[in-house]
Every structure is written in structure tokens, then in C-alpha cells.
Amino acid sequence: MSPKARGRHFFANPGPTNIPDTVLRALDRPSIDFNDPDFAPVYEAAFAGVKKVLRTDQHLFMYNASGHGAWEASLINLLSPGDTILVLESGYFSEEWAAMARAHHLEVRLVHADWRVGVDIADVRRALAEDTAHTIKAVCVVHNETATGMMISLPAIRAAIDSVGHPALFLADTISSLGSLEFRMDEWGVDCVVGGSQKGLMLPTGMSFTGVSNKALAAHAGAKLPRFYFDWTLMMNRPHKSFIGTIPVNVFYGLRESTRLILEEEGLDNVIARHTRLGEAARRAVRVWAGNNGPTLFCLSPDRLSNSVTAVMMPEGFNGDALRKTVRERFNVSLGGGLGKLGGKIFRIGHLGDLNEPMLLGALAAVEMGLRIEGIPHGRGGVDAAMAFLAEG
Ligand SMILES: *Cc1c(COP(=O)(O)O)cnc(C)c1O
């Protein structure tokens, strides 16, 4: 029997993420008509805020749907039945996006990758160079693979596409990187960006969106997959230029506040710097735990380690879900589990969104205590290493 958990629930999942108190206060409002003139400035400020976080001056379409809905929007608005897309394998989320594409009768060509290493950019270049007939209509990349704690450089993918002069659209899933890691839609030449409310934007789940380039909007005009709820053309003809159906008014009060926190109160560059610092601290702890044949960083590519989520590989014979259960029951700390084929093999520490040093250290300390309690071999002093790094930074 575990005593009823007291104190604050420490939420160290990589999505959803902690919702800042001022965002909670902003969400807490009675209903108003979304055509009410009082709502217009809220909608406009939130809409403009998301475009700034995307670093785009192009188009934005929003949906009442979780991130999966925005994935679907990106495919059905840009492609026609039988079209071929190139999906860069990264982990569970690239698999899901590819599976969705197949369900829509798209031909999926995969650039295979070891989930611990990530794609070889030369393989991406080769796949595009071999496609002299330009059969590939879109290149799909998960910027930050939340399931493995790996970030792929989008400018490197853009360069690979350009190096062979391939005209394919460039689609990027930034659901767990937007508002926490560096991302520049226009500068990096991304044609369609998939984002969601419940990760870096620190809101409840349920609203997602796509940033869309002028090039993508031109392709949209000829795309023939069936669509309605996510149809950009229908949206452009409605007064709010987004959403089919009722606009989630309360979410927009929250979104206005969360984009204000990111852009004005802290500043986007400082947000990114904070995530860089916290990500490095988490990794320093894991590297110490790796002693004595303990848990190790799942991602083996040093230049691709994600600053918003750290995936930790359990030592052979130990289950990550048992550790998570102990940590949750004893210390009221929630960690992410392994997704798909990584179930039980890894656990994930989310460090994105509304988070500071003591919150991360609390989660790391709970993990280190969990390792002791469960008798899992590890090097002691991971939290010390994280503290030493953060104290210096
Ligand atoms: C969370 C996540 C998704 C899925 O979003 P839902 O809101 O759960 O539908 C897709 N891609 C990435 C990279 C994610 O982290």
C-alpha cells in the first residue's frame, strides 16, 4: 500500500506538459460566442503569437484535434491518392505518420534508420537523387522524435533536398520541439509544419495547427485526397480563416497567455536556452547512472540529443515501467514510458514547457531514488552531476 500522494504532482512527461498557473487562470472563463467582438482581439493575438513562435509570415490553419489531426491535415491538403512520400524513420512517431499516410492510399517510401542513431543524411540525398522522375511529392520528417529523445537537423534535410534540386514539399512535425527548441519555418524552407497545443505551448491537449508555405498552398490547389473538416480552402473562406466548426474559445485565452509568456515575458531565445541547459543537466545525470552497467542514454548520436526529452535505456533484465510505477507511487512523479516496440525497455524524462531547475532536479532525484529502491544497478551521484552543471550555468 502506498500512502496517498501528497504535495505537488511532479509531471515529467514529454507531453502533455505542465500548464503555467497564468495559463490556467486565462483558461478559466465563462463561454462567449466566438463571433463576439470581445473575442476578436484574443483570437488575433493568439494567432499572431503562434506565427511568431513558428517564425513564419506565411499561412496558419488551426484545428480542434490533437497532433494526429494536424498530421492528417498536412497529408490530405497537399497530396492525391497514389502519391509517393518519403518518410524519414526516427521512431514511433514517424511510424505513426507513415501508417496514417498508407491509410490515405499514399505510397510511403522510408529512409530506414536505427532508432538510436537516426537517419544518415546521405541516404536521404540518395533517395531523392534516384527519384529523377520526381515521383516523391513530399519529404516528411519528425523534427524531435519524442519517443527516442532525438532531434534531426531540419536545415540539413533542407540542404539535402536542395542539393539534388528536388521539388518535393518539405513537411516537418514540430509537436515536441516548437516553443522549446530552435525552429525557423521560413528561414529553413519548411513547407508544412505540424504543431500541437500540449507540449511546448503548455496548453491542454486538443488544439493543433499547421504552418503552410506559399509553395504548399499552391500544391494544395491541385491536391485530390478527400477532405472536409481539415480543408484549408473551406477554412480560407470562413471569417476566422481557420477551424471548421466551433472555435475553442477558452483555449485561445490560454494560447494568448502562453505565447505572451514565450515571446514577451521570457523571450523565445531565452526559452530555447533554458531547454538547452535543462536538457544537458538531464543527460549529465544519466551519464553518471550509466556507471556500474546502469541505465544509458538511448540516443547514441551526440549531435542529435534532444533538449526537450531524454530517453533512458534500462539495463538488460530491468523494466522501465516498474521503475516508473515506483517513482509515481512513492514520490508522485510521472515519467514517460517506452512507446511501441520500446515499451518497458526505456523510460523518458520530459523537460519541455513550464519547467525550471528545481523541477528537473526533483524528477531526477525521484528517478535516482527509484533506481535504489528497485535494486537497479547504476552509478550514484547523477543528481549531483546535474546540480554541478546547473550551478555553473
Ligand atoms: C505528441 C506527438 C505527436 C502526437 O500528437 P497527439 O497530440 O498525441 O495526437 C506527434 N508527433 C510528435 C513528435 C509528438 O511528440
Side-chain angles (χ1 to χ4, degrees):
M1 272 282 286
S2 61
K4 178 126 182 70
R6 306 299 304 206
R8 201 171 180 98
H9 181 49
F10 261 59
F11 196 69
N13 285 49
T17 65
N18 293 287
I19 304 174
D21 288 345
T22 60
V23 173
L24 288 171
R25 299 295 92 76
L27 290 163
D28 181 6
R29 298 187 62 91
S31 295
I32 63 166
D33 187 332
F34 64 85
N35 290 312
D36 191 302
D38 283 352
F39 180 59
V42 179
Y43 185 80
E44 279 159 27
F47 205 85
V50 173
K51 285 178 80 164
K52 282 199 185 119
V53 178
L54 285 163
R55 303 208 213 239
T56 186
D57 294 325
Q58 300 182 81
H59 313 276
L60 174 65
F61 299 100
M62 298 178 133
Y63 324 103
N64 282 299
S66 80
H68 279 73
W71 264 348
E72 189 145 298
S74 73
L75 298 173
I76 63 183
N77 276 290
L78 293 173
L79 299 160
S80 299
D83 276 356
T84 298
I85 63 170
L86 189 70
V87 175
L88 277 50
E89 185 177 5
S90 52
Y92 177 81
F93 288 105
S94 70
E95 284 195 334
E96 284 272 289
W97 204 2
M100 180 185 277
R102 288 188 199 99
H104 283 293
H105 304 294
L106 297 169
E107 290 291 329
V108 175
R109 224 173 269 177
L110 280 177
V111 180
H112 286 287
D114 182 324
W115 287 14
R116 300 191 70 182
V117 179
V119 286
D120 186 339
I121 303 291
D123 290 344
V124 179
R125 204 179 306 118
R126 193 172 316 113
L128 292 167
E130 282 168 2
D131 180 39
T132 48
H134 296 163
T135 308
I136 295 167
K137 299 298 177 215
V139 177
C140 301
V141 190
V142 176
H143 182 210
N144 187 69
E145 176 53 77
T146 324
T148 63
M150 181 180 298
M151 190 200 70
I152 299 292
S153 162
L154 295 180
I157 307 299
R158 177 77 258 172
I161 299 170
D162 293 345
S163 71
V164 298
H166 201 290
L169 295 167
F170 183 21
L171 277 55
D173 170 344
T174 64
I175 295 183
S176 65
S177 52
L178 197 67
S180 47
L181 312 183
E182 183 81 32
F183 175 75
R184 297 173 177 272
M185 174 175 159
D186 290 359
E187 207 179 305
W188 294 355
V190 183
D191 292 304
C192 186
V193 182
V194 176
S197 56
Q198 81 273 27
K199 295 183 186 174
L201 294 183
M202 311 177 288
L203 289 164
T205 309
M207 194 275 288
S208 59
F209 51 88
T210 46
V212 176
S213 74
N214 295 322
K215 177 181 167 182
L217 208 55
H220 165 72
K224 297 200 167 48
L225 276 171
R227 55 184 193 239
F228 187 94
Y229 186 60
F230 293 112
D231 189 336
W232 299 340
T233 299
L234 286 181
M235 290 184 190
M236 282 185 285
N237 291 326
R238 296 195 178 203
H240 289 85
K241 313 282 182 208
S242 263
F243 294 102
I244 300 298
T246 308
I247 294 175
V249 168
N250 291 58
V251 172
F252 270 82
Y253 281 94
L255 184 57
R256 178 177 66 170
E257 173 60 10
S258 75
T259 52
R260 189 193 69 79
L261 290 175
I262 292 169
L263 297 164
E264 293 169 35
E265 194 162 305
E266 187 173 8
L268 189 47
D269 290 336
N270 293 328
V271 170
I272 293 163
R274 175 167 53 82
H275 284 83
T276 305
R277 206 161 62 238
L278 296 175
E280 178 60 25
R283 294 191 290 273
R284 296 225 177 179
V286 179
R287 289 198 184 103
V288 171
W289 296 336
N292 298 328
N293 299 316
T296 55
L297 289 172
F298 181 76
C299 174
L300 297 175
S301 294
D303 56 338
R304 289 176 163 176
L305 291 158
S306 166
N307 285 327
S308 63
V309 52
T310 297
V312 186
M313 178 96 155
M314 293 299 287
E316 197 60 43
F318 293 92
N319 190 305
D321 291 337
L323 174 68
R324 288 172 59 227
K325 183 168 184 282
T326 297
V327 166
R328 189 179 65 245
E329 289 179 354
R330 286 287 300 271
F331 308 119
N332 201 8
V333 172
S334 177
L335 301 165
L339 298 174
K341 69 180 184 190
L342 295 177
K345 294 191 165 54
I346 66 167
F347 67 92
R348 295 173 303 146
I349 304 165
H351 33 83
L352 76 159
D354 188 37
L355 197 78
N356 60 14
E357 284 82 350
M359 291 164 80
L360 176 69
L361 290 169
L364 295 174
V367 171
E368 198 162 325
M369 288 188 284
L371 293 171
R372 286 190 190 217
I373 293 165
E374 289 290 303
I376 299 165
H378 65 285
R380 300 229 167 144
V383 179
D384 271 347
M387 285 197 296
F389 171 75
L390 292 171
E392 283 159 19

